[in-house]
Amino acid sequence: MSKARLATVWLDGCSGCHMSALDMDERWIELAGLVDLVYGPLVDVKEFPENVDVVLVEGAVSSEEEEEKIQKVRQCAKILVSLGDCAVTSNVPSMRNRFPVALVEHRAYIENAELNRGVPDKVVPRLLPKVRPVHDFVKVDVFVPGCPPSADTIYFVLTELLAGRTPDLTKLTRFGA
Ligand code: SF4
């Protein structure tokens, strides 16, 4: 039996959702018999590949680069999972939504900077006016709330999807848990 192709994506999040996935510990060994991890922060692949069966997306969409990335991810993935409250609601990253981007950048790069004061115009991706959840940009197939979702929940989601079922998360997750 061929293995499913699994990817993980890190947008505007703290990496806590990825850390929670790592907390599946030895269950990754079992999953290694079912999936090939073809992209993500744990894999040294630069471009998001074609034909991904399942992708777990951590984080909200905050920059032009992330908007472009989530569009590419959606084109290449059969099942897209919004993993964690930042992906599902925009959560912590959206705390900046109360302020104009120029004010946020001034605070970060000028007021709070000790060296090289100035808003960067190269390398650093341009921020979108508002941070928004993943489903504002692309179709999401499965929503997994939690900050972060537990390792048990992530394992359940993956094994259900790999078995061809839609995971029922009504008793497993809640926002902020
Ligand atoms: S949902 Fe929570 S743990 Fe996951 S990226 Fe956002 S802040 Fe971090």
Side-chain angles (χ1 to χ4, degrees):
M1 193 180 74
S2 65
K3 293 184 187 178
R5 287 162 61 77
L6 172 68
T8 72
V9 169
W10 182 8
L11 302 179
D12 192 358
C14 73
S15 92
C17 291
H18 272 84
M19 294 301 108
S20 199
L22 282 180
D23 280 344
M24 286 192 288
D25 297 330
E26 71 279 2
R27 285 174 288 186
W28 273 111
I29 296 170
E30 175 199 331
L31 287 170
L34 302 172
V35 299
D36 283 326
L37 188 56
V38 294
Y39 183 88
L42 305 173
V43 180
D44 190 18
V45 175
K46 306 300 181 208
E47 294 292 323
F48 196 83
E50 304 286 330
N51 301 319
V52 175
D53 293 297
V54 179
V55 57
L56 305 176
V57 179
E58 169 190 321
V61 180
S62 296
S63 68
E64 291 175 356
E65 183 182 75
E66 288 165 352
E67 181 176 7
E68 198 176 305
K69 183 163 196 175
I70 198 64
Q71 298 290 354
K72 164 84 175 164
V73 167
R74 178 68 274 185
Q75 284 166 18
C76 299
K78 289 186 193 137
I79 299 173
L80 190 152
V81 179
S82 266
L83 182 69
D85 289 348
C86 292
V88 175
T89 70
S90 68
N91 197 29
V92 177
S94 64
M95 289 171 73
R96 78 151 162 97
N97 285 356
R98 293 177 57 212
F99 308 99
V101 166
L103 201 60
V104 172
E105 289 176 333
H106 189 275
R107 179 80 172 162
Y109 294 115
I110 296 171
E111 279 179 57
N112 286 342
E114 290 181 4
L115 295 171
N116 302 322
R117 284 197 174 93
V119 178
D121 59 0
K122 295 188 195 65
V123 181
V124 177
R126 285 173 59 88
L127 295 179
L128 295 171
K130 302 279 183 200
V131 182
R132 288 149 61 198
V134 171
H135 64 270
D136 271 11
F137 295 85
V138 294
K139 176 176 171 283
V140 170
D141 302 298
V142 180
F143 293 88
V144 185
C147 184
S150 69
D152 288 348
T153 298
I154 298 171
Y155 176 77
F156 177 75
V157 168
L158 283 176
T159 50
E160 287 291 282
L161 290 175
L162 293 171
R165 294 186 290 266
T166 302
D168 178 0
L169 294 168
T170 45
K171 294 194 178 134
L172 268 178
T173 58
R174 62 188 169 88
F175 291 103

